[in-house]
Amino acid sequence: MSIRSLGQQAPGFISPVSLAVLLVCAAISCAAYGAEEVVQDTELDPVVVTASRTPQALSQTIAATSVITREQLDSAVSGDLAPLLQAAGAEVSRTGGLGSDVSVFLRGGSSKQTLLLIDGVAVPSLNFGRPPIAYLPLIGMDSIEVVRGNVSSLYGSSAIGGVINVITQRGRPGLHMSGQVTAGENGTHSASAGLQGGTDTLRYSIGAGVFGTSGFNSIDQSEVSGTNPDRDGFRQKAFNGSLDWQWLAGHELGVSQLSSFGRYEYDSEYGPANQADETTYRLQQTTLRSRDQWTPIWSSNLSWTQSQELSNADTTSYPWYAKTVSRDLQWQHDVKVYEGQTVSATVEHSVQQLSSDTVYARNHRDIDTLALGYVGEYGPHQWQLSIRRDDYSDFGTPITRYVGYGYQVIKGVTLTASHSNGFRAPNFNELFYPWGGNASLRPERANSEELGIKIRQDGWTLRSNYFQTRYRDLISTWPIKNIGRARITGIETSATVRVAKDTLVQAEWTIQDPKDMSTDLSLARRAYHHGSLGVTTSQWGYEWNAGVRMVGARRDKDASTSEHLPAYEVVNVGVEKALARDWKVALKVDNLFDRDYENAYGYKQAGRAAYVTLSWSHD
């Protein structure tokens, strides 16, 4: 597909009112600061680890990467991670309100082709194979790194579309305390507290929080008849903690724990219309680690992680439960062979086990991994090479590769190119579900190419990428078998501009053609275009922010359906005020213009909702 045809398929649709909100914010900030000089801002170039498994400045990554900061997480007072992922270049579809099933599409790949990591370790789901985004608590997150594009050579199965890496909070020297309470529409309420502290050799972090909402009637009875028109609430409790001990110079031991428990209500299409449907869930991860600097050029990271994801639909017409437990042993070595050049070697052993009231022919999977990587730069040249071999106990030994190259044309302007391949291992529902599973399935395969340009100058960055991914052996929903081929071609552009001293403008836009080659239809729930635009500024003692999320029209479900989801845009605004030392209050209004929209057929999204947050922090 040509770049010209991509543009023709994605006409703009942002409404004048939505655009006006953002332009007013930008105009106010520019008028206040006039021609004041813009200075270098390290906030625009943080250090990330996900794009290559080694620390890099964001401007140096070849793979397209976005960072959701701690400040952005704090602003999500409604407890919803989905809008932040959309601002990081993802498409999001959910069947209802908070707590309901969330699908994330990166670069047009399916939700099963998007991998969730917590501190670099995968959180597998053997039954449904989708990342449990809805279960993630905002409490305890330090940042989120989103890598868009095929990085299976770094992280294995399901990383074809990209990865979402949740970086949890760690302790730091001194004493740092914080607390937050929120109240808002639909009985929404939350409270959280955090404590970080320690010395240069012993550091700790503790956080806990609760969240609840009465919700709203998320299913549209005119589209899905015979369902319960009741409110669909959500309740969550979360905890995180970590302890790090530097027992010898250059050698550190650590332990961390992240836990989330909750219950969400939904409206099932099956059973009587007065049925109250509820599911409880549990998401936990425990990690033990040893970080060691053996010599000035050689370091290693040894970790053991146990992850657990449980869904228990205990109140419904057809109850079920499924629990995936994964134990992962990982040892990565990094050697700086030359200034600016690092070689990495990783060995990994994973054991995954599924418990369920459904009887599967097999309930466990073992994976042994060997991976090599090389990241380097010399003069204007930059490269990234990686190769990975995953030995599965149940279906084979896929090998994946990544080759990336960058060339700095002039200072601050770099051209990039990459080629990679990837795969997705079938989940156990696809393989062994008693009613329709197919034990002879092959893994889905993909090959990806990418061309891009990166521009970074004082106060602003811009990145644009042309990408193409070709899939084969796609697994159909029903009947379950390898029949599909798909091709996803697109252009994505993101920009961050420091307009003045205290004003930041961020924009992201993707135009794509996600096509199922076996049916010549667009892939389900993936739009030809989607994007976001946001402005934050400090004026008259207040912190102001406004943002709009935009999604084009999409086809819903599979090739047999005739339902289409119309395009929409949603505007969110907020203001924050410091009350006194350590105290501040914030007001946020989501869906300012009360837009009616769906991102899954038959499931409404929340209307206009206001939230007030009182925060306290002490350093």
Side-chain angles (χ1 to χ4, degrees), residues 195-254:
L195 176 65
Q196 296 176 303
T199 65
D200 290 336
T201 58
L202 185 66
R203 304 181 305 279
Y204 61 87
S205 176
I206 302 172
V210 295
F211 179 89
T213 180
S214 300
F216 57 95
N217 176 32
S218 58
I219 201 163
D220 189 336
Q221 276 69 37
S222 67
E223 296 177 336
V224 185
S225 59
T227 52
N228 195 336
D230 63 341
R231 286 174 173 257
D232 301 308
F234 173 55
R235 294 170 294 281
Q236 181 186 73
K237 298 178 181 179
F239 167 84
N240 79 289
S242 67
L243 181 66
D244 295 286
W245 174 41
Q246 183 178 294
W247 60 278
L248 186 66
H251 299 272
E252 183 176 271
L253 298 174

Side-chain angles (χ1 to χ4, degrees), residues 457-473:
Q457 302 295 332
D458 287 356
W460 65 279
T461 63
L462 182 144
R463 183 162 193 160
S464 186
N465 294 279
Y466 171 84
F467 61 88
Q468 176 176 271
T469 299
R470 290 161 287 117
Y471 296 87
R472 68 182 189 275
D473 285 336

Side-chain angles (χ1 to χ4, degrees), residues 419-450:
H419 170 79
S420 57
N421 68 320
F423 73 102
R424 181 182 76 84
N427 61 59
F428 279 22
N429 272 5
E430 293 168 329
L431 287 168
F432 308 122
Y433 195 67
W435 299 278
N438 184 348
S440 63
L441 287 175
R442 299 180 301 277
E444 296 178 336
R445 303 279 186 170
N447 286 280
S448 303
E449 293 82 32
E450 185 173 334

Side-chain angles (χ1 to χ4, degrees), residues 338-350:
Y338 192 73
E339 184 66 28
Q341 302 182 43
T342 301
V343 173
S344 300
T346 303
V347 292
E348 186 175 355
H349 176 68
S350 297

Side-chain angles (χ1 to χ4, degrees), residues 88-103:
E91 286 185 89
V92 176
S93 173
R94 75 175 348 143
T95 54
L98 293 175
S100 62
D101 183 55
V102 174
S103 296

Side-chain angles (χ1 to χ4, degrees), residues 521-525 553-559 561 563-564:
L521 295 172
S522 62
L523 294 170
R525 293 180 182 170
R554 296 131 291 145
R555 186 177 58 81
D556 190 69
K557 298 185 180 178
D558 56 31
T561 188
E563 290 90 2
H564 282 73

